[in-house]
Amino acid sequence: MDIIESKIDTNSGDYKKKYSAMESLVADLKKELKKARDERPQKDIDRLAAQGKMPVRKKLDLLLDRNTPFLEIAPLAARGMYDGKVHAAGLVSGIGIVEGREVLVVASDATIKGGAVYPMGVKKNLRCQTICMENRLPMVNLLDSAGAYLPLQSEIFPDIDDGGRIFYNQAVISKMGIPQITAVMGLCTAGGAYVPAMSDEVVHVKGTGAIFLGGPPLVKAATGEEVTADQLGGAEVHCIESGVSDYFAEDDAHAIAIVRKIVGTLPKNEKARLTMREPKAPIYDAKEIYGIVSEDLKIPYDCREVIARIVDGSEFLEFKELYGPTLVCGFAYIHGYPVGILGNNGILFSDSALKATQFIQICDRRKIPLVFLQNINGYIIGRQYERLGITKDGHKMVNAVSTCTVPKFTVIIGASFGAGNYGMCGRAYSPRFLWMWPNAQIGVMGGEQAAGVLITLKNDQNAKAGLPPLTAEEEAFIRMPIAEAAKKEGDAYYSTANIWDDGVIDPVDTRNILGLAISAALNAPIRDDVTGFGIFRM
Amino acid sequence: MDYNLKIGGQILPVEADLKDDGTLLARIGEKSFTTRYQIISEKQIHIDVEGIGMNVYLADNDDGKLINIHGTTYLVQDADTLERSGTRKRSSKELPQEITPPMPSVVECIMVAEGDVVEKGQSVIMVSAMKMEVKLQAPFKGKVLKINVAEGDKVMPGQILMDIEREEEDERKTQEEITQEKEKI
Amino acid sequence: MFEKILIANRGEIVVRIIATCREMGIKTVAVYSDADRSALHVLEADEAVYLGPSAPAESYLNMDKIIAAAKQTGAQAIHPGYGFLAENYLFVQRCKDDGIVFIGPPAQAVRDLGDKTVARQTMINSGVPVIPGMMQAEADPDVLMKEAELIGYPVLIKAAAGGGGKGMRIVHSAGDLREATESASREAKSAFGNGAIYLEKYLHQPRHVEFQILADAHGNVIHLLERECSIQRRHQKIIEETPSTALTPKLREEMGKAAVAAARASNYVNAGTVEFLVDHDGKFYFLEVNTRLQVEHPITEMITGIDLVRQQIEIAAGNPLKFSQADIVGRGHAMECRIYAEDPLSAFLPSPGKIHFLNEPKGPGIRNDSGVYSGYTVPMEYDPILSKLITHAESRQECINRMSRALKDYAVLGVLTPIPFLKDILSSEAFIKGETYTDFIDKHFAEWHPAMEGVDLACIAYIVDTMANHRAKNNFIQTDGESYSPWQTLGNFRP
């Protein structure tokens, strides 16, 4: 393996400018995360305490093994949505270690709107289940939810990817042999009642936990029966009489202790074997990434510099270095795991697309996980290139990405526009995990480009109608809203609010996060019974 | 990371920020400490707290960590995880409050007579079904008022086989017991 | 010279004796019971013989088994250590009868000096001053009452058959006498099998000073200066030192002469210790003779430079002493602290268990006679002694400083020790001033609690160890093929 030589001058003004720009983006990110994790209405905190319930972060502290990593999934979901206060969509979810095992934890945050389920909450839950299924991670639910947020029920209930899908997935997950353990630490009403019912094992907290298909108000309205939540579906009812719940817990802390014991009985999962090497830290300081990558996505840099600060020992065996130079790909190790890395140094041409396709096939054959570092504006356009078949070469790359069976991991480190997103394994291509850096931008095309397209179209229309071309003012009039919309709807925060990614991360953490993700992904076997790709149009 | 450490009978809140470069910034209660540390071996570390260096020897025990500084050994425990490892005593398992058979059975033997004083948990009647004998017990201390069945009778669940009048003191005591148990937990 | 010696004991004393034997080129045989299978003394010896179950009666006190072990291994001599059979005259006789050299005094001397009342009589006859008291054991409470009147209150009830504080009671007035004698007698019976008691005058604030003597089989008897053992807890010594701050050179000379006279009077051979009580006026009284090597012998070795175990072996082999009284010079000051596996906060109850980690103190003038090692499980069947920590320095204060420093460096993890208690004693004003009377502990340290001054440091150390030493590793479920998972190594990474 060759060590990537860094050509960055850390003393240059350019470096320092970029560094401080990224530093402040990261500082903003940390502020946002803190707000999402800590800002709660005092009255809700008090109400929780008065009910004798434990706040969600404390539950996680007790549940997870001491001093172990916790990889949170979509901590900024629903940011700025609804009334702006539904932080993390009312759920805390992530992968952590419980009794020495990797487990995906989903916990309701009852200090956010009483744990009510918003549309983004459903999407987050489904995303977690997808992670469970793809990576075969046991799931632990800590439930305390007031139920669906009724005013938005049309976005929560009816469609294929709405609330009902959660229970469908639970049945499928169960059939797959993946354990699901639920602790009922609050209300689980109607649909919510199915989460514990569909789980393998249920721990029910006395007094505060309740499971029922219809709550007291509904029961009273329907049959006139007056009954309390505890009488209707409390721990005694379900542990002693109905058998819906399996373990009786005195309080939240006890329930968590029981969950830990249950997880402790799970068999050791055999992980997919990769040929590992001893991990080595990169020889360059990861923080230098701040001075390499630019907030202004038009400014190019050599993505090898980024790779050098992520991979073990900064060692990289570059594949087809001299051919298709706008795509960099090669073999490396991250935390000891072998990976095939693809990065962008410009837009994709035919040669780079073909190179990527070949590389993906090689990695797929050798069972080497793929890591995509996306910074792509798109494929080349223009008459010359269309004639050379850029469309079919782009197709080959998309085909390979779609049909390969090794785990894929994507980090959007800059631009993610158009078909470039597809070829470089965007969300729709099912990478096991996808993250964004704070400077990332995503959209069908960049705002400027989109505005340019619209202006050209309008000018063509005008020309056909015999009208003069647009004035600078009129151009600005078209350009501004597009630019603003692109900016708003294309930045990392918008993406993460909509759960188009699994989180916005500090570039410095990329290596560790990839390491944890790869390790978690290995809980699912890398299938060798399904080989081959779709037909490559040659 | 935040810890609540139990040491020498007191619980101290600790906020710790451990950096990779060998420094630890810690707040214990109201005091702040800057420490440089070095891991020497599995059982030995060297710390430099506010300029004073010392060797510390450590070993993990079943219930915490033993830490020896300058010849004195301290037992330090993580108060939060102590909480979760404690075994929970369930609030007193309730005896069924009525003398009634769990399934259709035959009365085999009536072990007390009307007017007897019985203790809580005392077996008062034996029924049999499906080749099994089940002894039914008095749910509280009291006096047998009326026996409603005779030996050889066939009985059903829900049918009260015996009426026992609860002794008054017992009720108060049970209340006390319940309160005491609540406090303990 | 012997070719092979069997040491009929366990723990640190055996390790210490083995050391000298090795230097002399003598092969060593250790004996052990079930509980001591992996004890240090077994690991150090050339050969080891299994005795049987852990109960002392079936192992270390079992004369048949020990003699058999000696015969089986061809050991020519037996060193009894201290405790167990060391002062059992029947055992000494058995050795003689079976043709094995007993490294110690002859049976007659052991017998005579072992009986407290006989010993007292011997001393009186030789002009060695004794504590006013009874000549023989007495059971009749009326006689006891009369004797107590003669002696004068306060009186001390003592067991005739043994020491170590068992069967001892202090009685201040006639009204308490009857009950105290009955209780003392019961305790003595249970400890020594013999409930015989006698009375002595109880001295106020006495100092416990003992003299080491060596006597060869050729009639040479010398003393090797004194040891001060006043720091005691429930009549168990915990700190010993030499020289004693209570002795002037004149008094030392007088007492030394008396010690030698006592040894001669009982036809003593080999090493022994003559114990005296010294009262406020500098008057000394004979207490007893310990017919064995004492636990605290190392402090004498430090100031005189003489290996007492070697002398014992030489004497037992029939060689004459190579030095005279004039050759015995004490240099500097030495102290010993006994480190037991005990909980100083729970009335010093034994605290057996596994020693997870041991860091023994080192440096100039430091000697640690240890019977344990890191990873060893201290058994509960025997006296929980871990080691004896001895320091030697030029002056008493320097010796105190050295011992304090050594105690600070002594890390024992897994069992409780009185090290914090000892540290506090050594730094106390009374100790530094040398006010070491036998009521020292009761007077100054009756309600002792450790100062928890290092609590913050301990918390810091806990955090460093937990977060940086990555103990999460132990609990992690490793899967094959994944040798280093970042879930194990990244500690508390929470992006």
Side-chain angles (χ1 to χ4, degrees), chain C residues 460-486:
Chain C
I460 290 174
Y462 182 96
I463 302 287
V464 169
D465 190 60
T466 308
M467 294 176 76
N469 233 345
H470 301 315
R471 292 307 168 97
K473 214 179 166 93
N474 297 336
N475 208 26
F476 191 77
I477 307 284
Q478 192 103 55
T479 53
D480 303 329
E482 196 188 38
S483 0
Y484 327 84
S485 169

PDB file of all heavy atoms in Angstrom, chain C residues 460-486:
ATOM      1  N   ILE C 460     -10.855  10.855  40.292  1.00  0.00           N
ATOM      2  CA  ILE C 460     -10.129  11.148  39.053  1.00  0.00           C
ATOM      3  C   ILE C 460      -9.506   9.873  38.513  1.00  0.00           C
ATOM      4  O   ILE C 460      -9.592   9.570  37.323  1.00  0.00           O
ATOM      5  CB  ILE C 460      -9.041  12.214  39.301  1.00  0.00           C
ATOM      6  CG1 ILE C 460      -9.704  13.563  39.572  1.00  0.00           C
ATOM      7  CG2 ILE C 460      -8.095  12.310  38.114  1.00  0.00           C
ATOM      8  CD1 ILE C 460      -8.748  14.640  39.975  1.00  0.00           C
ATOM      9  N   ALA C 461      -8.883   9.121  39.397  1.00  0.00           N
ATOM     10  CA  ALA C 461      -8.242   7.887  38.947  1.00  0.00           C
ATOM     11  C   ALA C 461      -9.277   6.935  38.368  1.00  0.00           C
ATOM     12  O   ALA C 461      -9.041   6.262  37.368  1.00  0.00           O
ATOM     13  CB  ALA C 461      -7.514   7.234  40.122  1.00  0.00           C
ATOM     14  N   TYR C 462     -10.440   6.893  38.990  1.00  0.00           N
ATOM     15  CA  TYR C 462     -11.516   6.021  38.498  1.00  0.00           C
ATOM     16  C   TYR C 462     -11.884   6.393  37.074  1.00  0.00           C
ATOM     17  O   TYR C 462     -12.013   5.543  36.200  1.00  0.00           O
ATOM     18  CB  TYR C 462     -12.732   6.175  39.415  1.00  0.00           C
ATOM     19  CG  TYR C 462     -13.895   5.295  39.034  1.00  0.00           C
ATOM     20  CD1 TYR C 462     -14.099   4.067  39.652  1.00  0.00           C
ATOM     21  CD2 TYR C 462     -14.809   5.688  38.061  1.00  0.00           C
ATOM     22  CE1 TYR C 462     -15.172   3.258  39.316  1.00  0.00           C
ATOM     23  CE2 TYR C 462     -15.868   4.882  37.715  1.00  0.00           C
ATOM     24  CZ  TYR C 462     -16.055   3.676  38.341  1.00  0.00           C
ATOM     25  OH  TYR C 462     -17.111   2.872  38.002  1.00  0.00           O
ATOM     26  N   ILE C 463     -12.061   7.698  36.841  1.00  0.00           N
ATOM     27  CA  ILE C 463     -12.451   8.161  35.513  1.00  0.00           C
ATOM     28  C   ILE C 463     -11.379   7.820  34.497  1.00  0.00           C
ATOM     29  O   ILE C 463     -11.656   7.286  33.421  1.00  0.00           O
ATOM     30  CB  ILE C 463     -12.670   9.691  35.505  1.00  0.00           C
ATOM     31  CG1 ILE C 463     -13.716  10.092  36.513  1.00  0.00           C
ATOM     32  CG2 ILE C 463     -13.002  10.178  34.118  1.00  0.00           C
ATOM     33  CD1 ILE C 463     -15.099   9.738  36.129  1.00  0.00           C
ATOM     34  N   VAL C 464     -10.139   8.119  34.839  1.00  0.00           N
ATOM     35  CA  VAL C 464      -9.053   7.851  33.896  1.00  0.00           C
ATOM     36  C   VAL C 464      -9.035   6.372  33.547  1.00  0.00           C
ATOM     37  O   VAL C 464      -8.963   5.999  32.393  1.00  0.00           O
ATOM     38  CB  VAL C 464      -7.689   8.263  34.498  1.00  0.00           C
ATOM     39  CG1 VAL C 464      -6.554   7.748  33.633  1.00  0.00           C
ATOM     40  CG2 VAL C 464      -7.596   9.765  34.609  1.00  0.00           C
ATOM     41  N   ASP C 465      -9.135   5.534  34.570  1.00  0.00           N
ATOM     42  CA  ASP C 465      -9.056   4.099  34.319  1.00  0.00           C
ATOM     43  C   ASP C 465     -10.234   3.625  33.490  1.00  0.00           C
ATOM     44  O   ASP C 465     -10.076   2.912  32.524  1.00  0.00           O
ATOM     45  CB  ASP C 465      -9.010   3.348  35.653  1.00  0.00           C
ATOM     46  CG  ASP C 465      -8.686   1.894  35.445  1.00  0.00           C
ATOM     47  OD1 ASP C 465      -7.605   1.612  34.893  1.00  0.00           O
ATOM     48  OD2 ASP C 465      -9.504   1.038  35.802  1.00  0.00           O
ATOM     49  N   THR C 466     -11.445   4.053  33.862  1.00  0.00           N
ATOM     50  CA  THR C 466     -12.625   3.578  33.142  1.00  0.00           C
ATOM     51  C   THR C 466     -12.628   4.052  31.708  1.00  0.00           C
ATOM     52  O   THR C 466     -12.926   3.307  30.791  1.00  0.00           O
ATOM     53  CB  THR C 466     -13.902   4.103  33.826  1.00  0.00           C
ATOM     54  OG1 THR C 466     -13.837   3.777  35.195  1.00  0.00           O
ATOM     55  CG2 THR C 466     -15.123   3.489  33.211  1.00  0.00           C
ATOM     56  N   MET C 467     -12.304   5.337  31.513  1.00  0.00           N
ATOM     57  CA  MET C 467     -12.450   5.861  30.172  1.00  0.00           C
ATOM     58  C   MET C 467     -11.226   5.619  29.314  1.00  0.00           C
ATOM     59  O   MET C 467     -11.331   5.431  28.117  1.00  0.00           O
ATOM     60  CB  MET C 467     -12.772   7.360  30.241  1.00  0.00           C
ATOM     61  CG  MET C 467     -14.126   7.611  30.874  1.00  0.00           C
ATOM     62  SD  MET C 467     -14.518   9.349  31.079  1.00  0.00           S
ATOM     63  CE  MET C 467     -14.926   9.799  29.420  1.00  0.00           C
ATOM     64  N   ALA C 468     -10.047   5.647  29.899  1.00  0.00           N
ATOM     65  CA  ALA C 468      -8.859   5.512  29.063  1.00  0.00           C
ATOM     66  C   ALA C 468      -8.348   4.090  28.988  1.00  0.00           C
ATOM     67  O   ALA C 468      -7.735   3.702  28.015  1.00  0.00           O
ATOM     68  CB  ALA C 468      -7.748   6.431  29.584  1.00  0.00           C
ATOM     69  N   ASN C 469      -8.563   3.309  30.005  1.00  0.00           N
ATOM     70  CA  ASN C 469      -8.043   1.948  29.975  1.00  0.00           C
ATOM     71  C   ASN C 469      -9.012   1.005  29.285  1.00  0.00           C
ATOM     72  O   ASN C 469      -8.804  -0.171  29.215  1.00  0.00           O
ATOM     73  CB  ASN C 469      -7.740   1.464  31.398  1.00  0.00           C
ATOM     74  CG  ASN C 469      -6.328   0.940  31.513  1.00  0.00           C
ATOM     75  OD1 ASN C 469      -5.677   0.690  30.518  1.00  0.00           O
ATOM     76  ND2 ASN C 469      -5.859   0.767  32.727  1.00  0.00           N
ATOM     77  N   HIS C 470     -10.136   1.588  28.811  1.00  0.00           N
ATOM     78  CA  HIS C 470     -11.074   0.837  27.977  1.00  0.00           C
ATOM     79  C   HIS C 470     -11.477  -0.497  28.559  1.00  0.00           C
ATOM     80  O   HIS C 470     -11.358  -1.528  27.929  1.00  0.00           O
ATOM     81  CB  HIS C 470     -10.505   0.650  26.583  1.00  0.00           C
ATOM     82  CG  HIS C 470     -10.209   1.948  25.906  1.00  0.00           C
ATOM     83  ND1 HIS C 470     -11.069   3.015  25.915  1.00  0.00           N
ATOM     84  CD2 HIS C 470      -9.131   2.375  25.232  1.00  0.00           C
ATOM     85  CE1 HIS C 470     -10.547   4.018  25.258  1.00  0.00           C
ATOM     86  NE2 HIS C 470      -9.365   3.664  24.829  1.00  0.00           N
ATOM     87  N   ARG C 471     -12.009  -0.442  29.784  1.00  0.00           N
ATOM     88  CA  ARG C 471     -12.427  -1.701  30.378  1.00  0.00           C
ATOM     89  C   ARG C 471     -13.641  -2.294  29.688  1.00  0.00           C
ATOM     90  O   ARG C 471     -14.017  -3.398  29.935  1.00  0.00           O
ATOM     91  CB  ARG C 471     -12.761  -1.505  31.844  1.00  0.00           C
ATOM     92  CG  ARG C 471     -11.568  -1.186  32.702  1.00  0.00           C
ATOM     93  CD  ARG C 471     -10.463  -2.197  32.533  1.00  0.00           C
ATOM     94  NE  ARG C 471      -9.253  -1.762  33.124  1.00  0.00           N
ATOM     95  CZ  ARG C 471      -8.836  -2.116  34.324  1.00  0.00           C
ATOM     96  NH1 ARG C 471      -9.569  -2.911  35.039  1.00  0.00           N
ATOM     97  NH2 ARG C 471      -7.721  -1.677  34.796  1.00  0.00           N
ATOM     98  N   ALA C 472     -14.293  -1.508  28.843  1.00  0.00           N
ATOM     99  CA  ALA C 472     -15.462  -2.035  28.138  1.00  0.00           C
ATOM    100  C   ALA C 472     -15.064  -3.290  27.381  1.00  0.00           C
ATOM    101  O   ALA C 472     -15.869  -4.145  27.089  1.00  0.00           O
ATOM    102  CB  ALA C 472     -16.000  -0.999  27.171  1.00  0.00           C
ATOM    103  N   LYS C 473     -13.794  -3.382  27.098  1.00  0.00           N
ATOM    104  CA  LYS C 473     -13.261  -4.530  26.386  1.00  0.00           C
ATOM    105  C   LYS C 473     -13.710  -5.851  27.011  1.00  0.00           C
ATOM    106  O   LYS C 473     -14.051  -6.774  26.320  1.00  0.00           O
ATOM    107  CB  LYS C 473     -11.739  -4.449  26.514  1.00  0.00           C
ATOM    108  CG  LYS C 473     -10.998  -4.943  25.322  1.00  0.00           C
ATOM    109  CD  LYS C 473      -9.499  -4.778  25.570  1.00  0.00           C
ATOM    110  CE  LYS C 473      -8.713  -5.570  24.567  1.00  0.00           C
ATOM    111  NZ  LYS C 473      -8.283  -4.955  23.410  1.00  0.00           N
ATOM    112  N   ASN C 474     -13.672  -5.898  28.328  1.00  0.00           N
ATOM    113  CA  ASN C 474     -13.933  -7.178  28.974  1.00  0.00           C
ATOM    114  C   ASN C 474     -15.325  -7.687  28.719  1.00  0.00           C
ATOM    115  O   ASN C 474     -15.547  -8.880  28.677  1.00  0.00           O
ATOM    116  CB  ASN C 474     -13.728  -7.059  30.486  1.00  0.00           C
ATOM    117  CG  ASN C 474     -12.307  -6.706  30.797  1.00  0.00           C
ATOM    118  OD1 ASN C 474     -11.432  -6.982  30.008  1.00  0.00           O
ATOM    119  ND2 ASN C 474     -12.105  -6.086  31.921  1.00  0.00           N
ATOM    120  N   ASN C 475     -16.278  -6.759  28.579  1.00  0.00           N
ATOM    121  CA  ASN C 475     -17.652  -7.195  28.470  1.00  0.00           C
ATOM    122  C   ASN C 475     -18.090  -7.412  27.041  1.00  0.00           C
ATOM    123  O   ASN C 475     -19.174  -7.887  26.780  1.00  0.00           O
ATOM    124  CB  ASN C 475     -18.543  -6.113  29.114  1.00  0.00           C
ATOM    125  CG  ASN C 475     -19.806  -6.722  29.665  1.00  0.00           C
ATOM    126  OD1 ASN C 475     -19.852  -7.875  30.003  1.00  0.00           O
ATOM    127  ND2 ASN C 475     -20.846  -5.928  29.733  1.00  0.00           N
ATOM    128  N   PHE C 476     -17.254  -7.006  26.101  1.00  0.00           N
ATOM    129  CA  PHE C 476     -17.673  -7.004  24.710  1.00  0.00           C
ATOM    130  C   PHE C 476     -17.730  -8.423  24.179  1.00  0.00           C
ATOM    131  O   PHE C 476     -16.834  -9.221  24.407  1.00  0.00           O
ATOM    132  CB  PHE C 476     -16.684  -6.167  23.892  1.00  0.00           C
ATOM    133  CG  PHE C 476     -17.170  -5.895  22.503  1.00  0.00           C
ATOM    134  CD1 PHE C 476     -18.131  -4.935  22.288  1.00  0.00           C
ATOM    135  CD2 PHE C 476     -16.686  -6.608  21.427  1.00  0.00           C
ATOM    136  CE1 PHE C 476     -18.593  -4.672  21.019  1.00  0.00           C
ATOM    137  CE2 PHE C 476     -17.149  -6.347  20.156  1.00  0.00           C
ATOM    138  CZ  PHE C 476     -18.097  -5.383  19.948  1.00  0.00           C
ATOM    139  N   ILE C 477     -18.797  -8.724  23.450  1.00  0.00           N
ATOM    140  CA  ILE C 477     -18.915 -10.065  22.881  1.00  0.00           C
ATOM    141  C   ILE C 477     -18.142 -10.078  21.575  1.00  0.00           C
ATOM    142  O   ILE C 477     -18.562  -9.512  20.569  1.00  0.00           O
ATOM    143  CB  ILE C 477     -20.395 -10.406  22.594  1.00  0.00           C
ATOM    144  CG1 ILE C 477     -21.228 -10.198  23.837  1.00  0.00           C
ATOM    145  CG2 ILE C 477     -20.504 -11.808  22.076  1.00  0.00           C
ATOM    146  CD1 ILE C 477     -21.088 -11.251  24.866  1.00  0.00           C
ATOM    147  N   GLN C 478     -16.998 -10.701  21.603  1.00  0.00           N
ATOM    148  CA  GLN C 478     -16.158 -10.716  20.411  1.00  0.00           C
ATOM    149  C   GLN C 478     -16.659 -11.788  19.458  1.00  0.00           C
ATOM    150  O   GLN C 478     -17.065 -12.857  19.890  1.00  0.00           O
ATOM    151  CB  GLN C 478     -14.734 -11.088  20.827  1.00  0.00           C
ATOM    152  CG  GLN C 478     -13.724 -10.869  19.739  1.00  0.00           C
ATOM    153  CD  GLN C 478     -12.931  -9.615  19.998  1.00  0.00           C
ATOM    154  OE1 GLN C 478     -12.350  -9.481  21.057  1.00  0.00           O
ATOM    155  NE2 GLN C 478     -12.928  -8.710  19.064  1.00  0.00           N
ATOM    156  N   THR C 479     -16.636 -11.500  18.176  1.00  0.00           N
ATOM    157  CA  THR C 479     -16.976 -12.556  17.223  1.00  0.00           C
ATOM    158  C   THR C 479     -15.712 -12.923  16.463  1.00  0.00           C
ATOM    159  O   THR C 479     -14.814 -12.100  16.306  1.00  0.00           O
ATOM    160  CB  THR C 479     -18.046 -12.091  16.226  1.00  0.00           C
ATOM    161  OG1 THR C 479     -17.602 -10.873  15.636  1.00  0.00           O
ATOM    162  CG2 THR C 479     -19.364 -11.848  16.926  1.00  0.00           C
ATOM    163  N   ASP C 480     -15.694 -14.173  15.986  1.00  0.00           N
ATOM    164  CA  ASP C 480     -14.493 -14.614  15.259  1.00  0.00           C
ATOM    165  C   ASP C 480     -14.320 -13.771  14.022  1.00  0.00           C
ATOM    166  O   ASP C 480     -15.270 -13.354  13.388  1.00  0.00           O
ATOM    167  CB  ASP C 480     -14.667 -16.062  14.789  1.00  0.00           C
ATOM    168  CG  ASP C 480     -14.962 -16.962  15.951  1.00  0.00           C
ATOM    169  OD1 ASP C 480     -14.489 -16.666  17.051  1.00  0.00           O
ATOM    170  OD2 ASP C 480     -15.686 -17.945  15.759  1.00  0.00           O
ATOM    171  N   GLY C 481     -13.098 -13.561  13.659  1.00  0.00           N
ATOM    172  CA  GLY C 481     -12.849 -12.858  12.410  1.00  0.00           C
ATOM    173  C   GLY C 481     -12.829 -11.356  12.585  1.00  0.00           C
ATOM    174  O   GLY C 481     -12.312 -10.638  11.756  1.00  0.00           O
ATOM    175  N   GLU C 482     -13.421 -10.861  13.680  1.00  0.00           N
ATOM    176  CA  GLU C 482     -13.382  -9.411  13.855  1.00  0.00           C
ATOM    177  C   GLU C 482     -12.480  -9.135  15.035  1.00  0.00           C
ATOM    178  O   GLU C 482     -12.904  -9.113  16.170  1.00  0.00           O
ATOM    179  CB  GLU C 482     -14.795  -8.886  14.136  1.00  0.00           C
ATOM    180  CG  GLU C 482     -14.896  -7.404  13.937  1.00  0.00           C
ATOM    181  CD  GLU C 482     -16.220  -6.834  14.398  1.00  0.00           C
ATOM    182  OE1 GLU C 482     -16.733  -7.309  15.420  1.00  0.00           O
ATOM    183  OE2 GLU C 482     -16.715  -5.918  13.749  1.00  0.00           O
ATOM    184  N   SER C 483     -11.204  -8.990  14.744  1.00  0.00           N
ATOM    185  CA  SER C 483     -10.259  -8.951  15.847  1.00  0.00           C
ATOM    186  C   SER C 483     -10.281  -7.654  16.638  1.00  0.00           C
ATOM    187  O   SER C 483     -10.080  -7.651  17.831  1.00  0.00           O
ATOM    188  CB  SER C 483      -8.853  -9.208  15.329  1.00  0.00           C
ATOM    189  OG  SER C 483      -8.893  -9.397  13.929  1.00  0.00           O
ATOM    190  N   TYR C 484     -10.471  -6.538  15.966  1.00  0.00           N
ATOM    191  CA  TYR C 484     -10.496  -5.288  16.714  1.00  0.00           C
ATOM    192  C   TYR C 484     -11.723  -4.519  16.290  1.00  0.00           C
ATOM    193  O   TYR C 484     -11.748  -3.965  15.206  1.00  0.00           O
ATOM    194  CB  TYR C 484      -9.269  -4.425  16.390  1.00  0.00           C
ATOM    195  CG  TYR C 484      -8.018  -5.212  16.096  1.00  0.00           C
ATOM    196  CD1 TYR C 484      -7.781  -5.709  14.829  1.00  0.00           C
ATOM    197  CD2 TYR C 484      -7.085  -5.451  17.096  1.00  0.00           C
ATOM    198  CE1 TYR C 484      -6.636  -6.420  14.561  1.00  0.00           C
ATOM    199  CE2 TYR C 484      -5.937  -6.152  16.823  1.00  0.00           C
ATOM    200  CZ  TYR C 484      -5.717  -6.644  15.558  1.00  0.00           C
ATOM    201  OH  TYR C 484      -4.581  -7.354  15.290  1.00  0.00           O
ATOM    202  N   SER C 485     -12.741  -4.510  17.116  1.00  0.00           N
ATOM    203  CA  SER C 485     -13.921  -3.772  16.680  1.00  0.00           C
ATOM    204  C   SER C 485     -13.874  -2.372  17.247  1.00  0.00           C
ATOM    205  O   SER C 485     -13.600  -2.188  18.432  1.00  0.00           O
ATOM    206  CB  SER C 485     -15.173  -4.483  17.176  1.00  0.00           C
ATOM    207  OG  SER C 485     -16.286  -3.647  16.976  1.00  0.00           O
ATOM    208  N   PRO C 486     -14.147  -1.354  16.455  1.00  0.00           N
ATOM    209  CA  PRO C 486     -14.170   0.003  16.999  1.00  0.00           C
ATOM    210  C   PRO C 486     -15.225   0.163  18.090  1.00  0.00           C
ATOM    211  O   PRO C 486     -15.119   1.069  18.911  1.00  0.00           O
ATOM    212  CB  PRO C 486     -14.489   0.892  15.781  1.00  0.00           C
ATOM    213  CG  PRO C 486     -14.944  -0.014  14.716  1.00  0.00           C
ATOM    214  CD  PRO C 486     -14.408  -1.369  14.998  1.00  0.00           C
TER     215      PRO C 486
END
